[in-house]
Short mmCIF file of all heavy atoms in Angstrom, two decimals:
data_model
loop_
_atom_site.label_atom_id
_atom_site.label_comp_id
_atom_site.label_asym_id
_atom_site.label_seq_id
_atom_site.Cartn_x
_atom_site.Cartn_y
_atom_site.Cartn_z
N ILE A 182 -87.96 120.57 -84.71
CA ILE A 182 -88.13 119.84 -83.45
C ILE A 182 -88.23 118.33 -83.66
O ILE A 182 -87.51 117.56 -83.00
CB ILE A 182 -89.35 120.37 -82.66
CG1 ILE A 182 -89.11 121.81 -82.22
CG2 ILE A 182 -89.62 119.49 -81.44
CD1 ILE A 182 -90.27 122.43 -81.45
N PRO A 183 -89.10 117.84 -84.56
CA PRO A 183 -89.17 116.38 -84.77
C PRO A 183 -87.85 115.77 -85.20
O PRO A 183 -87.49 114.67 -84.74
CB PRO A 183 -90.25 116.24 -85.86
CG PRO A 183 -91.09 117.46 -85.73
CD PRO A 183 -90.14 118.55 -85.35
N CYS A 184 -87.12 116.45 -86.07
CA CYS A 184 -85.85 115.91 -86.55
C CYS A 184 -84.81 115.86 -85.42
O CYS A 184 -84.04 114.89 -85.32
CB CYS A 184 -85.31 116.74 -87.71
SG CYS A 184 -86.19 116.47 -89.26
N ALA A 185 -84.79 116.89 -84.58
CA ALA A 185 -83.86 116.89 -83.44
C ALA A 185 -84.18 115.75 -82.48
O ALA A 185 -83.28 115.07 -81.98
CB ALA A 185 -83.92 118.24 -82.72
N LEU A 186 -85.46 115.55 -82.22
CA LEU A 186 -85.87 114.45 -81.34
C LEU A 186 -85.50 113.10 -81.95
O LEU A 186 -85.04 112.18 -81.25
CB LEU A 186 -87.38 114.51 -81.08
CG LEU A 186 -87.86 115.64 -80.15
CD1 LEU A 186 -89.38 115.73 -80.16
CD2 LEU A 186 -87.34 115.42 -78.73
N LEU A 187 -85.69 112.97 -83.26
CA LEU A 187 -85.35 111.72 -83.94
C LEU A 187 -83.85 111.44 -83.84
O LEU A 187 -83.44 110.30 -83.56
CB LEU A 187 -85.78 111.80 -85.40
CG LEU A 187 -85.51 110.57 -86.26
CD1 LEU A 187 -86.30 109.38 -85.74
CD2 LEU A 187 -85.84 110.83 -87.73
N ILE A 188 -83.03 112.46 -84.05
CA ILE A 188 -81.58 112.29 -83.95
C ILE A 188 -81.17 111.92 -82.53
O ILE A 188 -80.29 111.08 -82.32
CB ILE A 188 -80.85 113.58 -84.39
CG1 ILE A 188 -81.14 113.88 -85.86
CG2 ILE A 188 -79.35 113.45 -84.16
CD1 ILE A 188 -80.65 112.82 -86.82
N LEU A 189 -81.82 112.51 -81.54
CA LEU A 189 -81.52 112.17 -80.15
C LEU A 189 -81.82 110.70 -79.87
O LEU A 189 -81.03 110.00 -79.24
CB LEU A 189 -82.33 113.06 -79.20
CG LEU A 189 -81.80 114.47 -78.93
CD1 LEU A 189 -82.78 115.25 -78.08
CD2 LEU A 189 -80.44 114.41 -78.25
N PHE A 190 -82.97 110.23 -80.33
CA PHE A 190 -83.36 108.85 -80.08
C PHE A 190 -82.47 107.85 -80.84
O PHE A 190 -82.25 106.73 -80.38
CB PHE A 190 -84.83 108.64 -80.46
CG PHE A 190 -85.80 109.18 -79.46
CD1 PHE A 190 -86.71 110.16 -79.82
CD2 PHE A 190 -85.80 108.73 -78.15
CE1 PHE A 190 -87.61 110.67 -78.90
CE2 PHE A 190 -86.70 109.22 -77.22
CZ PHE A 190 -87.61 110.19 -77.58
N LEU A 191 -81.98 108.27 -82.01
CA LEU A 191 -81.19 107.38 -82.84
C LEU A 191 -79.69 107.65 -82.74
O LEU A 191 -78.92 107.14 -83.56
CB LEU A 191 -81.62 107.50 -84.31
CG LEU A 191 -83.08 107.13 -84.63
CD1 LEU A 191 -83.35 107.31 -86.11
CD2 LEU A 191 -83.39 105.70 -84.19
N SER A 192 -79.27 108.43 -81.75
CA SER A 192 -77.87 108.84 -81.67
C SER A 192 -76.93 107.64 -81.55
O SER A 192 -75.83 107.63 -82.10
CB SER A 192 -77.66 109.79 -80.49
OG SER A 192 -78.04 109.18 -79.26
N GLY A 193 -77.37 106.61 -80.81
CA GLY A 193 -76.53 105.42 -80.66
C GLY A 193 -76.29 104.74 -81.99
O GLY A 193 -75.15 104.35 -82.31
N ILE A 194 -77.34 104.60 -82.79
CA ILE A 194 -77.22 103.97 -84.11
C ILE A 194 -76.39 104.84 -85.04
O ILE A 194 -75.54 104.35 -85.78
CB ILE A 194 -78.62 103.72 -84.70
CG1 ILE A 194 -79.39 102.74 -83.82
CG2 ILE A 194 -78.52 103.20 -86.13
CD1 ILE A 194 -80.81 102.51 -84.25
N ILE A 195 -76.62 106.15 -84.99
CA ILE A 195 -75.89 107.07 -85.85
C ILE A 195 -74.40 107.02 -85.55
O ILE A 195 -73.57 106.92 -86.46
CB ILE A 195 -76.42 108.51 -85.67
CG1 ILE A 195 -77.84 108.62 -86.23
CG2 ILE A 195 -75.50 109.53 -86.36
CD1 ILE A 195 -78.51 109.94 -85.94
N ASN A 196 -74.05 107.06 -84.28
CA ASN A 196 -72.64 107.04 -83.90
C ASN A 196 -71.95 105.72 -84.26
O ASN A 196 -70.74 105.69 -84.51
CB ASN A 196 -72.50 107.29 -82.40
CG ASN A 196 -72.93 108.68 -82.01
OD1 ASN A 196 -72.92 109.61 -82.82
ND2 ASN A 196 -73.35 108.85 -80.77
N LYS A 197 -72.74 104.65 -84.31
CA LYS A 197 -72.17 103.33 -84.57
C LYS A 197 -72.03 103.04 -86.06
O LYS A 197 -71.03 102.48 -86.50
CB LYS A 197 -73.03 102.25 -83.91
CG LYS A 197 -72.46 100.85 -84.03
CD LYS A 197 -73.30 99.86 -83.25
CE LYS A 197 -72.70 98.45 -83.33
NZ LYS A 197 -73.51 97.45 -82.58
N TYR A 198 -73.04 103.43 -86.85
CA TYR A 198 -73.09 103.00 -88.24
C TYR A 198 -72.86 104.10 -89.27
O TYR A 198 -72.58 103.81 -90.42
CB TYR A 198 -74.43 102.33 -88.53
CG TYR A 198 -74.64 101.06 -87.76
CD1 TYR A 198 -75.51 101.02 -86.67
CD2 TYR A 198 -73.96 99.90 -88.10
CE1 TYR A 198 -75.70 99.85 -85.95
CE2 TYR A 198 -74.15 98.72 -87.39
CZ TYR A 198 -75.03 98.70 -86.32
OH TYR A 198 -75.21 97.54 -85.61
N ILE A 199 -73.03 105.35 -88.87
CA ILE A 199 -72.84 106.45 -89.82
C ILE A 199 -71.52 107.15 -89.51
O ILE A 199 -71.23 107.46 -88.35
CB ILE A 199 -74.01 107.46 -89.75
CG1 ILE A 199 -75.32 106.74 -90.08
CG2 ILE A 199 -73.79 108.61 -90.72
CD1 ILE A 199 -76.54 107.62 -90.03
N GLY A 200 -70.74 107.40 -90.55
CA GLY A 200 -69.37 107.88 -90.36
C GLY A 200 -69.23 109.32 -89.98
O GLY A 200 -68.50 110.07 -90.64
N VAL A 201 -69.92 109.76 -88.91
CA VAL A 201 -69.74 111.15 -88.45
C VAL A 201 -68.67 111.24 -87.37
O VAL A 201 -68.21 112.33 -87.05
CB VAL A 201 -71.07 111.74 -87.91
CG1 VAL A 201 -72.08 111.88 -89.03
CG2 VAL A 201 -71.62 110.88 -86.78
N ASN A 202 -68.28 110.09 -86.80
CA ASN A 202 -67.28 110.11 -85.73
C ASN A 202 -65.92 110.59 -86.21
O ASN A 202 -65.05 110.92 -85.41
CB ASN A 202 -67.15 108.72 -85.10
CG ASN A 202 -68.35 108.38 -84.23
OD1 ASN A 202 -69.02 109.27 -83.73
ND2 ASN A 202 -68.61 107.10 -84.07
N GLN A 203 -65.71 110.60 -87.53
CA GLN A 203 -64.45 111.08 -88.04
C GLN A 203 -64.27 112.58 -87.79
O GLN A 203 -63.16 113.10 -87.89
CB GLN A 203 -64.37 110.82 -89.54
CG GLN A 203 -65.47 111.50 -90.36
CD GLN A 203 -65.42 111.13 -91.81
OE1 GLN A 203 -64.37 111.21 -92.42
NE2 GLN A 203 -66.55 110.71 -92.37
N PHE A 204 -65.36 113.27 -87.44
CA PHE A 204 -65.27 114.71 -87.16
C PHE A 204 -64.97 114.98 -85.70
O PHE A 204 -64.90 116.13 -85.27
CB PHE A 204 -66.59 115.40 -87.54
CG PHE A 204 -66.88 115.35 -89.01
CD1 PHE A 204 -67.81 114.44 -89.52
CD2 PHE A 204 -66.23 116.19 -89.88
CE1 PHE A 204 -68.08 114.40 -90.87
CE2 PHE A 204 -66.48 116.16 -91.24
CZ PHE A 204 -67.42 115.24 -91.74
N ILE A 205 -64.81 113.90 -84.90
CA ILE A 205 -64.46 114.05 -83.48
C ILE A 205 -62.94 113.92 -83.35
O ILE A 205 -62.35 112.98 -83.85
CB ILE A 205 -65.14 112.98 -82.62
CG1 ILE A 205 -66.68 113.07 -82.77
CG2 ILE A 205 -64.75 113.14 -81.15
CD1 ILE A 205 -67.40 111.98 -82.02
N ILE A 206 -62.31 114.87 -82.64
CA ILE A 206 -60.86 114.77 -82.46
C ILE A 206 -60.58 113.89 -81.25
O ILE A 206 -61.40 113.71 -80.39
CB ILE A 206 -60.23 116.16 -82.28
CG1 ILE A 206 -60.72 116.84 -81.00
CG2 ILE A 206 -60.48 117.03 -83.48
CD1 ILE A 206 -59.96 118.09 -80.66
#
Side-chain angles (χ1 to χ4, degrees):
I182 295 179
C184 286
L186 288 171
L187 181 63
I188 297 298
L189 279 175
F190 283 120
L191 299 179
S192 59
I194 297 176
I195 291 172
N196 294 336
K197 185 175 182 180
Y198 295 105
I199 300 179
V201 294
N202 287 335
Q203 59 184 311
F204 295 102
I205 301 176
I206 64 170

